[in-house]
């Protein structure tokens, strides 16, 4: 599962998915394409946690899988992570789910209305011994509706949650998979650092290239 076709363009090309089939669909609707390797499918959910949860929940109602993988790019709070690095997410939090009590943020857990922290149901090293050769770094992430680009808000969320990465889909992906009882992992490639918004510092091309390289090798081994 991926939010946008652009994030897996090379994978689509490598495994023979028709680009026209994707572009003919409404951009806000999930696209279900059969990969020409094993019994695998690609779901394009659309951007954001709402689109992700809806598309994946709807799809998993009608389809059964041994594993669901969320691929995508992400921003990094952690400067020890290089642009282009591909990482396995070990936990993900809905960063904005809760309430403000003046200067204090009350998480959904503190409010007693649910939970905002989610985990993958498995990890790469558990899937197959050969996957140890990927040697991916791991990271904890947050999922946001508004990508951070303001120094004050970055400072607040860093102090509160100490995240390494942020995306707009990850925790929703984990939530949907848990609710549908489907094994899942999340893989992210870093396209930019989380800082005052400056597109000149981004390297989306490198992140997408490395993400697709990983995904192609993963499918060859697992599919």
């Amino acid at each position: 599962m991926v939010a946008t076709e652009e994030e897996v363009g090379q994978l689509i090309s490598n495994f023979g998915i028709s680009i026209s089939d994707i572009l003919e669909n409404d951009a806000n609707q999930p696209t279900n394409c059969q990969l020409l390797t094993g019994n695998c499918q690609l779901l394009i959910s659309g951007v954001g946690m709402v689109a992700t949860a809806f598309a994946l929940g709807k799809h998993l109602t009608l389809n059964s899988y041994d594993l669901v993988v969320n691929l995508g790019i992400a921003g990094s709070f952690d400067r020890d992570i290089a642009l282009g690095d591909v990482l396995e997410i070990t936990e993900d939090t809905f960063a904005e789910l809760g309430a403000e009590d003046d200067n204090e943020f009350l998480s959904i857990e503190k409010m007693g209305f649910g939970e905002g922290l989610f985990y993958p149901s498995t990890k790469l090293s558990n899937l197959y011994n050969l996957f140890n050769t990927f040697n991916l770094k791991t990271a904890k992430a947050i999922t946001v509706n508004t990508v951070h680009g303001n120094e004050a808000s970055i400072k607040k969320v860093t102090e509160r949650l100490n995240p390494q990465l942020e995306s707009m889909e990850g925790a929703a992906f984990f939530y949907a998979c848990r609710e549908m009882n489907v094994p899942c992992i999340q893989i992210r490639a870093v396209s930019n650092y989380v800082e005052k918004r400056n597109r000149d510092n981004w390297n989306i091309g490198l992140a997408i290239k490395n993400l697709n390289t990983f995904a192609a090798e993963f499918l060859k081994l697992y599919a």
Side-chain angles (χ1 to χ4, degrees):
M1 192 216 83
V2 65
T4 67
E5 179 241 323
E6 290 78 10
E7 289 170 283
V8 288
Q10 189 58 53
L11 188 70
I12 289 169
S13 176
N14 286 346
F15 290 100
I17 298 174
S18 171
I19 298 295
S20 62
D21 288 345
I22 292 176
L23 297 181
E24 286 171 3
N25 283 270
D26 185 317
N28 294 318
Q29 299 300 318
T31 299
N32 181 9
C33 300
Q34 187 71 35
L35 292 173
L36 298 183
T37 176
N39 186 25
C40 298
Q41 290 184 316
L42 172 65
L43 178 68
I44 299 177
S45 65
V47 173
M49 60 185 78
V50 173
T52 295
F54 176 79
L56 193 55
K58 180 180 178 182
H59 186 77
L60 291 177
T61 300
L62 303 173
N63 298 273
S64 178
Y65 298 101
D66 298 316
L67 178 71
V68 183
V69 182
N70 181 205
L71 299 172
I73 59 175
S76 178
F77 295 87
D78 187 345
R79 295 287 176 141
D80 289 333
I81 298 172
L83 296 185
D85 276 0
V86 180
L87 300 101
E88 180 178 7
I89 305 304
T90 55
E91 65 176 66
D92 210 321
T93 302
F94 288 115
E96 302 149 328
L97 188 59
E100 290 182 337
D101 183 5
D102 196 13
N103 292 321
E104 181 184 0
F105 180 84
L106 303 177
S107 69
I108 197 72
E109 288 93 347
K110 283 185 178 180
M111 296 175 69
F113 293 146
E115 56 190 310
L117 176 61
F118 297 91
Y119 302 91
S121 60
T122 187
K123 54 186 179 180
L124 278 175
S125 59
N126 288 340
L127 298 176
Y128 193 67
N129 288 336
L130 191 57
F131 285 163
N132 290 327
T133 62
F134 283 123
N135 197 31
L136 294 189
K137 297 177 183 177
T138 59
K140 70 174 189 175
I142 58 173
T143 298
V144 296
N145 281 309
T146 303
V147 172
H148 286 87
N150 171 274
E151 292 175 354
S153 64
I154 292 168
K155 184 174 184 292
K156 285 182 180 180
V157 78
T158 300
E159 290 175 348
R160 180 163 60 87
L161 295 172
N162 192 29
Q164 291 173 281
L165 302 185
E166 74 171 6
S167 78
M168 300 179 77
E169 298 86 23
F173 166 79
F174 282 156
Y175 169 79
C177 288
R178 189 193 69 175
E179 292 301 293
M180 299 303 292
N181 196 30
V182 180
C184 63
I185 58 173
Q186 180 187 168
I187 306 295
R188 294 275 167 180
V190 174
S191 59
N192 62 282
Y193 291 116
V194 180
E195 60 187 358
K196 186 175 179 180
R197 190 173 176 86
N198 182 358
R199 291 182 65 92
D200 290 339
N201 290 341
W202 298 2
N203 200 334
I204 294 176
L206 178 62
I208 288 176
K209 176 180 178 292
N210 292 347
L211 181 69
N212 281 257
T213 297
F214 164 83
E217 292 301 312
F218 178 89
L219 286 174
K220 289 175 184 176
L221 291 171
Y222 189 75

